[in-house]
Amino acid sequence: MLIFKYLRFFGTHLVSLQVDSVTGVASVSNSRLDNGSREYLRLPELTDVVEVTLNPRHFLFTVESIAPGYRPPDTLVKAAIDVLLQKCAHYLAIVERPGFASTPVTEVEADPVLTASEADENAHTRLYGRVVGLDAIFVSPDLRRATFRFTGEDHTLGAALRYCILQSDAVKLCGYCQPHPLEDAICFEIQSQGKLPTSIAFVMHFG
């Protein structure tokens, strides 16, 4: 059987398969034990029937503590999650303010590269000792596409936020970038589906 030929490349001690009794499709029982081997491509009869893909819902992190007796890895992970949740609550309060990104914006009056003092003057705040802020630097005339600038943030927030927003059917496009490695900010772009304003889609799925 093809299943046994497939297992030959991985070993039954590493991967076990479960077979759907209705469709007859066999899948890996525990994908975390699969090392992603492509050895099955050596057999022509397996090339067209085996599909190996990545599960975008799996995120594996390795945390190493320099003082495991004082701050073990599990404590560090919990503290990091608490910080991320507080950041989300902070920014959610900003996007829920009346009028946020509700009118077209085509030009940014302020310099996008802000110093700490300039950021304070532009209603930015401090969070965990860093100057942070959220601004809508572009909003299309139909309000369906917008670019937001997170000051004081990087890939830690950007990657998680992008993943969560892309789970929504109300969002057509979502991505972010760091304008420059030395710039302490990320630019986040969202395009909504249909006639739903981007600001509403942002508020709906930020939390």
Side-chain angles (χ1 to χ4, degrees):
M1 294 178 63
L2 292 179
I3 291 179
F4 295 109
K5 289 185 178 181
Y6 178 77
L7 287 176
R8 189 181 70 185
F9 293 108
F10 297 91
T12 55
H13 64 289
L14 292 178
V15 177
S16 60
L17 298 179
Q18 55 186 8
V19 182
D20 190 309
S21 59
V22 178
T23 63
V25 175
S27 58
V28 176
S29 299
N30 188 348
S31 58
R32 295 185 63 177
L33 298 179
D34 182 6
N35 62 4
S37 173
R38 298 297 188 270
E39 288 295 314
Y40 68 89
L41 294 174
R42 295 177 180 272
L43 293 181
E45 59 267 35
L46 291 180
T47 303
D48 296 330
V49 297
V50 175
E51 181 181 6
V52 178
T53 59
L54 296 177
N55 188 339
R57 300 181 65 86
H58 285 184
F59 297 91
L60 301 180
F61 297 90
T62 300
V63 179
E64 182 177 353
S65 174
I66 61 174
Y70 175 66
R71 295 293 296 273
D74 59 330
T75 302
L76 294 176
V77 171
K78 182 180 183 302
I81 293 175
D82 289 340
V83 170
L84 190 58
L85 290 174
Q86 292 182 38
K87 283 188 174 184
C88 289
H90 173 77
Y91 291 121
L92 186 60
I94 295 177
V95 300
E96 287 182 335
R97 292 174 183 172
F100 180 81
S102 60
T103 57
V105 177
T106 56
E107 294 183 1
V108 182
E109 297 180 358
D111 187 344
V113 181
L114 299 174
T115 63
S117 59
E118 290 173 336
D120 291 336
E121 294 176 358
N122 284 275
H124 287 205
T125 59
R126 287 187 174 273
L127 190 64
Y128 294 101
R130 300 182 65 181
V131 175
V132 298
L134 173 58
D135 304 286
I137 61 176
F138 171 80
V139 180
S140 63
D142 60 1
L143 306 182
R144 291 176 51 198
R145 186 165 66 90
T147 302
F148 302 96
R149 179 184 174 86
F150 287 86
T151 301
E153 299 296 347
D154 54 21
H155 300 286
T156 304
L157 178 68
L161 183 57
R162 175 183 177 274
Y163 170 79
C164 292
I165 292 179
L166 282 177
Q167 305 308 303
S168 170
D169 294 334
V171 176
K172 182 178 182 180
L173 178 147
C174 179
Y176 78 96
C177 69
Q178 188 175 14
H180 190 276
L182 298 180
E183 193 171 344
D184 194 18
I186 57 174
C187 291
F188 214 92
E189 183 167 344
I190 303 177
Q191 182 175 346
S192 60
Q193 295 274 20
K195 298 182 179 180
L196 182 69
T198 299
S199 59
I200 302 299
F202 200 38
V203 171
M204 286 172 56
H205 307 287
F206 195 102

